[in-house]
């Protein structure tokens, strides 16, 4: 994937009187009472009232692990069952490249204008206010509906050990923990995500080592199976129909599986309003997305196709989110490995919990961003002194209660509903990012803004955005094609696939008619916006950015962070 041209941030004017300007000592005093639920509510008229307390170490781990959840460890098995290992690897590779093109676009905009609400507010400022309204509510509903999805999936994974755990108890426990983590200052959320993401990375390393060792014969059966399953039952599975058409449909099934699994840029973009030194730390976070796609998603697709044949009967559980549906756990049980499945299951629980925590955070910030632009009730813009949008938090915490649906319905069915409903919304998010970048690119041309002066300048633009846009539109249109095949029509499935597309159309058209909005001409797009405030914040730092490795040394070994890296990349 293309890298980016890196430029130093422009030096801005002297710091102004903003809450975002760094003053560590005074902020520490203010944060001492951050857990107090009786803090005074504040609402300020300037742009970003969130506090920039996410450091380099936290941002890098949010970038690495913030998007890794149930899909990479469990749901990926559904793609294997439909397409086989060859289709899975090709499908995940292509989709990862396409999302990398999206990342190449969103990174340039977010590092230039790291505002709260990120790309959903940019869509309203640089494209059309109605487009921003649609983008914001689509992203909010996407994130909010994924919270009960992860809680339901957590219940299913716990069923690996015993099936008499009350689902309601798990729901209550998750809701309380998500509330506790997200009501305190954002730096505690960042710290929680740092450690939870570390658990995800450990799990991935364990699974990759399991794949390498066992395929070479290091297993109880001393069977060096290698790439056996690529030849028997074969690299390409047939799905729905037989022959070449069935293999094509199997490939599409693998691509659609990747559409639910390969995500990431949006989660990093949403921390823009609370990131310290965003033009440095966010830039480095976006740059890690490319190798993460290769190491985690493409590597994961390769490993899954090695350890298990696509015709394994147990893979039918893969689309339900159960631990028994994880291709890795199935492979361990087939090989007679006794302890490792329990370790993997325990780490999988932390991964699922972390994903739900990230969705809670993003849903709160997207609702806050909508309120900032008058596209949601202004009450959601009010924050506590610790920078938490408290009423947005209260509203978001209603959605986890949808997980109680599993008490009266089949838990696996609830997981499937939520996963299908949100997948269409995810493609719309990427369509929004690509189209917004095209408008941003045209605005820079019309207004004479030299992109070489930006903190991050992606290669191959604007074609990168155009390719990503066309791909995502095609996938959004066809990912529910199976309901239109003869004998497969189902009203429930149709609405599960295309409800969010219809909601997006209605919100865009409704807001456009109600507000009579117009497309923003390139010459009139507001490329200044909050830039002076962000420039002033960046200029308020006297010392250079800390490097990621120095922060890690300081954390584990107590070594002092390196103060001056003489222009090196702060990683």
């Amino acid at each position: 994937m293309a890298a980016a041209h890196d430029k130093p941030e422009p030096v801005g004017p002297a710091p102004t009187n903003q809450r975002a300007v760094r003053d560590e000592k005074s902020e520490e005093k203010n944060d001492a009472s951050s857990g107090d639920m009786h803090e005074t509510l504040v609402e300020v008229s300037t742009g970003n009232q969130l506090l920039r307390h996410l450091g380099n170490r936290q941002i890098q781990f949010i970038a690495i692990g913030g998007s890794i959840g149930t899909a990479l460890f469990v749901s990926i098995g559904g793609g294997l069952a439909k397409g086989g290992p060859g289709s899975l690897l090709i499908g995940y590779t292509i989709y990862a490249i396409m999302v990398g093109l999206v990342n190449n676009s969103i990174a340039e905009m977010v590092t230039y204008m790291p505002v709260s609400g990120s790309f959903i507010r940019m869509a309203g400022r640089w494209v059309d206010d109605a487009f921003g309204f649609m983008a914001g509510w689509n992203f909010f509903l996407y994130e909010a509906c994924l919270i009960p999805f992860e809680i339901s999936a957590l219940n299913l994974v716990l069923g690996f050990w015993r099936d008499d755990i009350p689902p309601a108890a798990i729901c209550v426990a998750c809701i309380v923990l998500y509330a506790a983590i997200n009501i305190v200052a954002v730096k505690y959320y960042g710290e929680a995500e740092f450690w939870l993401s570390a658990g995800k990375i450990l799990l991935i390393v364990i699974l990759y080592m399991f794949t390498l060792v066992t395929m070479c014969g290091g297993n109880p059966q001393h069977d060096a199976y290698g790439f056996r399953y690529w030849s028997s039952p074969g690299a390409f599975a047939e799905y729905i129909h037989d022959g070449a058409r069935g293999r094509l449909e199997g490939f599409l099934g693998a691509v659609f599986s990747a559409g639910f699994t390969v995500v990431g840029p949006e989660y990093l973009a949403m921390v823009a309003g609370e990131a310290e030194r965003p033009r440095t730390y966010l830039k480095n976070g976006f740059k890690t997305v490319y190798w993460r796609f290769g190491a985690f998603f493409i590597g994961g697709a390769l490993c899954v196709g090695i350890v298990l044949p696509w015709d394994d009967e147990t893979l039918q559980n893969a689309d339900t989110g159960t631990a028994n549906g994880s291709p890795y756990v199935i492979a361990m049980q087939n090989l007679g490995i006794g302890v490792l499945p329990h370790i993997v299951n325990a780490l999988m629980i932390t991964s699922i919990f972390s994903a739900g925590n990230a969705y809670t955070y993003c849903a709160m910030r997207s609702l806050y961003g909508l309120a900032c632009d008058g596209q949601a009730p202004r009450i959601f813009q009010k924050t506590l002194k610790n920078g938490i949008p408290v009423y947005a938090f209260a509203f978001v915490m209603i959605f986890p209660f949808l997980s109680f649906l599993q008490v009266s319905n089949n838990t696996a069915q609830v997981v499937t509903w939520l996963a299908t409903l949100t997948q269409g919304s995810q493609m719309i998010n990427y369509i929004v990012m690509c189209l917004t970048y095209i408008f941003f690119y045209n605005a820079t041309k019309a207004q004479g803004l030299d992109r070489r002066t930006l903190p991050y300048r992606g290669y191959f633009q604007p074609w990168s955005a155009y390719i990503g846009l066309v791909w995502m539109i095609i996938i959004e249109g066809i990912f529910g094609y199976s309901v239109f095949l003869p004998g497969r029509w189902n009203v429930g499935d149709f609405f599960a696939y295309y409800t969010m597309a219809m909601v997006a159309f209605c919100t865009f058209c409704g807001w456009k008619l109600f507000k009579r909005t117009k497309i923003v001409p390139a010459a009139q797009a507001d490329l200044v916006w909050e830039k002076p405030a962000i420039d002033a914040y960046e200029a308020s730092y006297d010392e250079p950015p800390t490097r990621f490795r120095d922060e890690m040394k300081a954390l584990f070994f107590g070594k002092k962070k390196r103060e001056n890296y003489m222009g090196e990349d702060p990683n």
Side-chain angles (χ1 to χ4, degrees):
M1 179 52 57
H5 300 290
D6 301 329
K7 294 290 180 182
E9 299 82 16
V11 177
T16 55
N17 182 24
Q18 297 183 48
R19 294 174 57 194
V21 175
R22 183 175 178 263
D23 186 344
E24 291 293 341
K25 293 183 180 179
S26 61
E27 293 296 354
E28 287 176 4
K29 292 179 181 178
N30 289 338
D31 289 341
S33 59
S34 63
D36 186 358
M37 291 300 295
H38 300 287
E39 292 188 56
T40 304
L41 290 175
V42 293
E43 182 177 21
V44 189
S45 59
T46 53
N48 180 25
Q49 307 315 318
L50 308 179
L51 300 181
R52 295 190 179 275
H53 281 167
L54 290 176
N56 191 18
R57 170 174 58 86
Q58 297 163 329
I59 290 172
Q60 301 310 317
F61 267 67
I62 289 173
I64 292 172
S67 59
I68 299 174
T70 312
L72 182 60
F73 306 118
V74 179
S75 303
I76 191 173
L80 175 64
K82 293 172 183 174
S87 291
L88 189 73
L89 181 59
I90 296 171
Y92 270 65
T93 300
I94 294 174
Y95 203 92
I97 291 172
M98 293 302 167
V99 180
L101 296 178
V102 177
N103 181 79
N104 193 40
S105 304
I106 189 67
E108 187 172 315
M109 296 188 292
V110 171
T111 53
Y112 170 70
M113 194 72 71
V115 297
S116 59
S118 191
F119 68 92
I120 62 177
R121 296 182 67 197
M122 295 172 187
R125 288 273 179 164
W126 297 337
V127 182
D128 187 320
D129 189 55
F131 192 65
F133 180 81
M134 178 275 291
W137 282 104
N138 175 78
F139 186 74
F140 169 76
L141 291 173
Y142 168 70
E143 296 295 327
C145 289
L146 279 174
I147 305 171
F149 165 79
E150 295 295 345
I151 295 176
S152 300
L154 187 64
N155 256 317
L156 288 170
V157 171
L158 287 171
F160 175 78
W161 287 309
R162 51 190 303 168
D163 56 8
D164 59 349
I165 301 175
I170 302 302
C171 295
V172 171
C174 287
I175 292 170
V176 170
L177 289 172
Y178 288 155
I181 293 173
N182 284 277
I183 194 59
V184 296
V186 69
K187 63 182 180 181
Y188 299 114
Y189 162 80
E191 200 63 28
E193 275 303 295
F194 171 82
W195 292 106
L196 289 169
S197 295
K200 296 179 184 182
I201 296 172
L202 175 61
L203 176 57
I204 289 173
V205 170
I206 290 174
L207 294 177
Y208 284 10
M209 291 302 298
F210 161 77
T211 301
L212 178 62
V213 172
T214 58
M215 71 182 292
C216 295
N219 56 72
Q221 299 177 9
H222 304 290
D223 179 14
Y225 56 87
F227 285 85
R228 176 188 303 159
Y229 302 131
W230 284 63
S231 57
S232 177
F236 300 95
E238 297 173 351
Y239 179 60
I240 301 180
H241 294 93
D242 297 329
R245 180 180 178 182
R247 288 189 291 274
L248 174 61
E249 290 174 324
F251 170 74
L252 291 176
V255 170
F256 301 152
S257 170
F260 186 65
T261 307
V262 183
V263 296
E266 63 274 34
Y267 299 106
L268 187 54
M270 289 307 295
V271 307
E274 293 170 282
E276 294 179 357
R277 311 188 78 138
R279 288 179 175 154
T280 299
Y281 296 156
L282 284 177
K283 177 182 71 177
N284 293 316
F286 279 114
K287 287 164 66 176
T288 68
V289 168
Y290 303 115
W291 68 257
R292 177 167 58 84
F293 280 177
F296 296 163
F297 297 122
I298 298 176
L302 176 63
C303 289
V304 165
I306 291 174
V307 300
L308 202 66
W310 57 261
D311 60 352
D312 190 291
E313 293 184 0
T314 317
L315 271 180
Q316 63 184 338
N317 293 325
D319 283 330
T320 68
T322 66
N324 287 326
S326 170
Y328 297 105
V329 173
I330 296 171
M332 292 170 191
Q333 293 173 334
N334 290 348
L335 291 171
I337 298 174
V339 177
L340 193 56
H342 297 280
I343 298 174
V344 168
N345 199 62
L347 289 172
M348 202 180 298
I349 289 173
T350 65
S351 175
I352 295 171
F353 179 84
S354 170
N357 189 42
Y359 300 146
T360 304
Y361 171 88
C362 289
M364 290 168 55
R365 270 51 181 188
S366 59
L367 188 57
Y368 172 84
L370 285 165
C372 287
D373 286 347
Q375 296 169 340
R378 289 290 184 184
I379 192 173
F380 295 132
Q381 195 177 358
K382 293 186 177 182
T383 65
L384 297 173
K385 286 182 179 180
N386 62 0
I388 300 299
V390 61
Y391 290 118
F393 161 81
F395 185 72
V396 167
M397 291 312 299
I398 296 174
F399 284 82
F401 286 92
L402 291 174
S403 61
F404 283 98
L405 285 171
Q406 62 190 303
V407 176
S408 57
N409 291 278
N410 179 273
T411 306
Q413 184 61 52
V414 173
V415 171
T416 304
W417 287 342
L418 293 171
T420 306
L421 184 66
T422 55
Q423 186 171 355
S425 201
Q426 176 61 42
M427 267 88 78
I428 294 172
N429 291 332
Y430 291 150
I431 291 171
V432 167
M433 293 178 195
C434 292
L435 189 58
T436 302
Y437 178 82
I438 292 169
F439 274 75
F440 169 76
Y441 179 90
N442 293 336
T444 62
K445 290 291 186 182
Q447 299 181 28
L449 175 61
D450 187 353
R451 291 176 53 246
R452 290 175 294 182
T453 65
L454 301 182
Y456 182 112
R457 180 170 67 96
Y459 284 119
F460 196 52
Q461 293 290 14
W463 306 113
S464 173
Y466 278 114
I467 294 171
L469 176 65
V470 171
W471 171 267
M472 293 301 168
I473 290 175
I474 291 173
I475 298 300
E476 174 69 19
I478 69 172
F479 91 109
Y481 80 96
S482 60
V483 300
F484 300 107
L485 296 176
R488 297 181 65 90
W489 171 258
N490 182 285
V491 175
D493 290 343
F494 171 80
F495 281 102
Y497 286 124
Y498 293 109
T499 291
M500 295 311 299
M502 292 184 284
V503 169
F505 177 80
C506 292
T507 51
F508 174 79
C509 294
W511 193 256
K512 194 167 187 64
L513 292 173
F514 178 66
K515 291 289 186 176
R516 299 184 181 277
T517 65
K518 296 181 179 180
I519 295 176
V520 179
Q524 299 176 19
D526 186 2
L527 297 183
V528 177
W529 195 3
E530 295 186 17
K531 184 178 183 296
I534 297 165
D535 288 346
Y537 166 76
E538 293 278 359
S540 69
Y541 281 87
D542 296 325
E543 72 279 2
T546 57
R547 300 183 305 179
F548 173 72
R549 59 178 174 266
D550 290 331
E551 288 196 15
M552 295 298 290
K553 288 178 181 178
L555 177 66
F556 290 106
F557 305 109
K559 294 184 179 181
K560 185 178 180 180
K561 298 176 185 177
R562 188 174 176 182
E563 292 295 332
N564 193 340
Y565 55 86
M566 299 300 292
E568 296 177 36
D569 193 24
N571 271 319

